């Protein structure tokens, strides 16, 4: 280890992680790896208590408890946590290390969830042993580890444990082939093959997703006060050999502004974008093509941000009305939700969360086809399995407060989780996907999909 003299910690690299853990959303410890034996196993109890104190809300990525720093990310219904006792530790380094470890675990297990981790505990511990040297992250890639890992993965198909879409649950749903064929929803959740023979036997294919997260604020009047798209193009490669991949995007795609000679209307103008290090940027500048040799496993090739001027309409609009029934001592919410996408599209896993400034004793609704629950003392959820485009859903929710407070002030805003397949608000899509390799008769399977999901998508009441 590199010797450091900062903060009086002689003989220790300040990048070292003492303990790495994976926990369920309820605080159950799934993985506990003590690299430096500085703390006992009860060091994780402080973080478990923090999970319970948050009552289902996400724990902050960086918390300091009992003079120890807990840095965590939440993926696939799991908290991945790094614990350090050294002050002045770089939080960005820790977050990046945990993120890359979780990516590698997902590549080799096929998916990230509690069931998959439990079924592959020996494999996960082997990956951690190869990736960490006395708490120091070795920056190994998925490809680097293929010759070092020997435990065979146990295949566990992805199970959605939460309402709403997560970008870390990429490839969980059905994918569309470029000529409109379809495959099973579990096709891309398979793990990478381990061993030369099984690598050869594994099907030669690649999966690509265009994923957009919508951060939107819509006022009670219906005016959109803020709209932002965080998009990414992600791939999961099971390709044989070392082929070249070309992803052709929209020709009317620009970054920053449109050139003076471009006179057509309806151009897509990105505020900013970022490329994976393997991408040839020159081809993107000339003909909007992402040209690269795809890394093994799952990776993000291209990310972008777009604000205002969305080419396609926002998926949801909502109207609301609040009133008070003083006789029954109830607060009444009238909500009408409209799905704005075209009628041949569908949004699914829809969940509206309505926060209250005071505790709620009970809740009832007029809609028996959907599910209204009191998720927490101050949070009501309205869950809708799916909505087809151009459809509306209305509901009357009657709320009985735990105390005497019947005020309608400070109720909301309503946040919406959802996912829409084959739909993007930016209209960015893959025009063509080309895989070339020097071998003859190289015919890989190519699968692609577009998904939009709700990030911070809110309505004020």
């Amino acid at each position: 280890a590199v010797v450091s003299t900062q903060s009086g910690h002689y003989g220790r690299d300040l990048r070292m992680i003492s303990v790495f853990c994976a926990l369920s959303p309820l605080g159950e410890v799934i993985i506990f790896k003590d690299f430096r034996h500085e703390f006992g196993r009860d060091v994780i109890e402080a973080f478990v208590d923090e999970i319970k104190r948050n009552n289902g809300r996400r724990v902050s990525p960086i918390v300091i408890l009992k003079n120890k720093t807990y840095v965590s990310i939440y993926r696939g219904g799991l908290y991945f946590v790094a614990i350090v006792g050294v002050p002045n530790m770089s939080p960005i380094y820790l977050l990046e290390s945990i993120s890359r470890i979780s990516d590698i675990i997902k590549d080799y297990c096929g998916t990230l969830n509690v069931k998959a981790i439990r079924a592959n505990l020996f494999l996960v511990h082997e990956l951690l042993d190869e990736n960490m040297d006395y708490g120091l992250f070795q920056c190994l890639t998925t490809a680097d580890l293929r010759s070092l890992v020997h435990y065979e993965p146990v295949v566990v198909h992805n199970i959605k444990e939460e309402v709403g879409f997560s970008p870390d649950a990429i490839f969980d749903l059905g994918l569309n082939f470029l000529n409109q064929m379809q495959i099973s929803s579990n096709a891309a959740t398979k793990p990478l093959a381990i061993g030369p023979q099984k690598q050869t036997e594994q099907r030669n294919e690649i999966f690509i997703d265009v994923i957009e997260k919508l951060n939107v604020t819509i006022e009670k009047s219906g005016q959109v006060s803020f709209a932002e798209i965080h998009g990414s193009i992600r791939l999961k490669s099971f390709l044989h050999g070392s082929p070249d991949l070309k992803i052709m995007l929209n020709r009317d795609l620009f970054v920053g502004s449109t050139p003076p000679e471009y006179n057509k209307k309806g151009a897509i103008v990105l505020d900013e974008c970022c490329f994976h290090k393997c991408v040839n940027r020159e081809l993107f500048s000339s003909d909007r093509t992402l040209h690269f040799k795809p890394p093994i496993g799952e990776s993000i090739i291209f990310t972008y941000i777009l604000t205002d001027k969305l080419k396609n309409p926002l998926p949801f609009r909502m109207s609301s009305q609040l009133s008070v029934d003083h006789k029954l001592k109830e607060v009444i919410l009238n909500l009408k939700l409209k799905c704005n996408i075209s009628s041949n599209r569908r949004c699914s896993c829809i969940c509206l969360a309505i926060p209250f400034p005071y505790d709620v004793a009970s809740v009832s609704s007029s809609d028996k086809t959907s599910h209204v629950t009191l998720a927490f003392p101050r949070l009501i959820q309205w869950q809708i399995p799916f909505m087809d485009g151009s459809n509306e859903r209305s509901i009357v929710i009657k709320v009985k407060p735990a105390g005497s407070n019947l005020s309608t002030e400070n109720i909301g805003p309503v946040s919406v989780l959802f996912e829409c397949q084959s739909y993007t608000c930016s209209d960015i899509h893959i025009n063509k996907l080309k895989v070339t390799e020097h071998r003859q008769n190289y015919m890989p399977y190519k699968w692609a999909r577009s998904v939009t999901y709700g990030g911070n998508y809110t309505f004020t009441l």
Side-chain angles (χ1 to χ4, degrees):
V2 180
V3 176
S4 173
T5 58
Q6 296 183 41
S7 302
H9 292 270
Y10 292 93
R12 169 161 183 177
D13 192 320
L14 291 187
R15 297 171 296 169
M16 286 183 174
I17 296 171
S18 295
V19 176
F20 177 85
C21 302
L23 299 91
S24 74
L26 299 177
E28 182 184 3
V29 180
I30 312 297
I31 299 170
F32 184 90
K33 193 73 174 175
D34 191 348
F35 296 108
R36 299 182 55 82
H37 306 288
E38 294 177 313
F39 317 121
R41 190 177 176 86
D42 58 350
V43 68
I44 195 61
E45 294 302 321
F47 191 81
V48 172
D49 293 340
E50 186 71 13
I51 293 175
K52 294 176 180 177
R53 276 195 297 270
N54 277 265
N55 290 325
R57 297 186 300 273
R58 301 283 172 83
V59 176
S60 173
I62 303 169
V63 292
I64 299 175
L65 305 168
K66 299 180 179 179
N67 297 322
K68 299 174 185 66
T69 304
Y70 296 77
V71 179
S72 64
I73 60 173
Y74 188 83
R75 288 187 176 176
L78 288 161
Y79 283 104
F80 293 92
V81 187
I83 306 173
V84 295
V86 178
N88 303 324
M89 186 74 160
S90 169
I92 301 301
Y93 167 78
L94 289 173
L95 288 169
E96 178 65 18
S97 298
I98 303 169
S99 178
R100 292 180 65 176
I101 289 172
S102 67
D103 289 341
I104 289 171
I105 292 173
K106 184 178 182 181
D107 283 339
Y108 280 93
C109 293
T111 184
L112 273 184
N113 57 49
V114 173
K115 189 175 179 181
I117 297 297
R118 286 190 187 280
N120 291 280
L121 276 178
F122 289 110
L123 174 60
V124 172
H125 278 274
E126 188 178 26
L127 291 169
L128 290 173
D129 288 337
E130 296 294 349
N131 257 304
M132 306 294 292
D133 180 14
Y134 200 51
L136 185 63
F137 184 57
Q138 298 299 297
C139 300
L140 297 178
T141 64
T142 299
D144 295 333
L145 289 165
R146 289 190 101 171
S147 61
L148 304 174
V149 176
H150 303 287
Y151 279 103
E152 291 288 339
V154 178
V155 179
V156 176
H157 294 310
N158 208 326
I159 300 169
K160 286 196 174 184
E161 298 181 353
E162 300 177 278
V163 175
F165 179 80
S166 166
D168 306 309
I170 184 174
F171 309 121
D172 293 350
L173 306 174
L175 292 103
N176 297 324
F177 187 41
L178 293 179
N179 63 5
Q180 305 307 313
M181 293 175 60
Q182 287 191 336
I183 54 173
S184 165
S185 62
N186 295 318
T189 58
K190 62 184 179 182
L192 291 174
I194 295 174
Q197 182 178 353
K198 292 204 172 183
Q199 291 173 28
T200 306
E201 295 171 354
Q202 193 165 51
R203 186 171 175 173
N204 188 22
E205 58 188 345
I206 187 166
F207 302 85
I208 300 179
D209 262 13
V210 179
I211 296 182
E212 292 190 349
K213 179 179 74 171
L214 292 181
N215 294 330
V216 178
T217 301
I218 302 176
E219 303 297 334
K220 183 176 175 57
S221 61
Q223 181 181 356
V224 179
S225 61
F226 177 78
E228 183 178 66
I229 296 175
H230 286 252
S232 63
I233 296 178
R234 304 184 179 207
L235 64 85
K236 192 167 187 178
S237 174
F238 299 94
L239 294 175
H240 297 173
S242 183
D244 285 329
L245 184 65
K246 288 184 178 180
I247 301 175
M248 291 78 162
L249 303 176
N250 313 48
R251 296 289 298 177
D252 57 349
L253 179 64
F254 301 95
V255 181
S257 61
T258 55
E261 64 273 13
Y262 190 84
N263 298 320
K264 297 180 182 179
K265 294 182 179 180
I268 304 170
V269 182
L270 305 179
D271 293 8
E272 57 184 86
C273 64
C274 184
F275 301 87
H276 191 280
K277 61 182 179 182
C278 67
V279 176
N280 183 342
R281 300 187 185 185
E282 294 181 2
L283 271 179
F284 181 82
S285 300
S286 60
D287 58 8
R288 301 302 176 262
T289 297
L290 301 173
H291 181 210
F292 57 97
K293 289 186 180 294
I296 294 172
E298 190 174 320
S299 52
I300 300 174
I301 296 301
F302 180 65
T303 59
Y304 56 91
I305 296 176
L306 187 151
T307 57
D308 303 326
K309 296 185 180 178
L310 308 184
K311 208 166 183 182
N312 291 329
L314 294 171
F316 288 102
R317 292 283 183 163
M318 190 185 77
S319 59
S320 62
Q321 184 177 356
L322 284 169
S323 59
V324 177
D325 187 330
H326 291 282
K327 184 177 180 180
L328 296 177
K329 296 183 179 180
E330 291 178 338
V331 176
I332 302 172
L333 288 82
N334 287 274
L335 303 178
K336 181 185 287 186
L337 186 69
K338 182 176 181 180
C339 187
N340 268 347
I341 61 178
S342 58
S343 57
N344 62 340
R345 297 282 184 264
R346 170 177 287 187
C347 288
S348 56
C349 300
I350 305 161
C351 179
L352 283 74
I354 311 163
F356 272 71
Y358 43 79
D359 288 353
V360 174
S362 63
V363 60
S364 60
S365 71
S366 60
D367 189 351
K368 304 303 179 184
T369 60
S370 58
H371 193 47
V372 176
T373 58
L374 183 61
F376 298 100
R378 296 189 177 189
L379 183 68
I380 294 171
Q381 288 185 344
W382 177 23
Q383 298 180 12
I384 306 170
F386 64 87
M387 281 183 70
D388 292 324
S390 303
N391 282 4
E392 292 183 355
R393 293 289 293 268
S394 299
I395 193 171
V396 178
I397 301 175
K398 296 181 179 180
V399 178
K400 191 174 288 292
S404 58
N405 191 350
L406 293 174
S407 172
T408 59
E409 294 183 3
N410 300 321
I411 297 176
V414 177
S415 59
V416 186
L417 295 176
F418 60 88
E419 62 183 54
C420 299
Q421 287 198 71
S422 304
Y423 185 82
T424 57
C425 285
S426 69
D427 200 35
I428 291 177
H429 57 271
I430 297 172
N431 284 331
K432 189 177 180 182
L433 177 60
K434 186 177 181 181
V435 182
T436 56
E437 223 263 353
H438 66 277
R439 288 177 287 181
Q440 291 183 347
N441 300 322
Y442 191 83
M443 298 287 290
Y445 293 90
K446 299 171 288 186
W447 310 92
R449 182 186 62 166
S450 298
V451 178
T452 294
Y453 73 100
N456 188 22
Y457 198 105
T458 61
F459 297 92
T460 58
L461 295 177

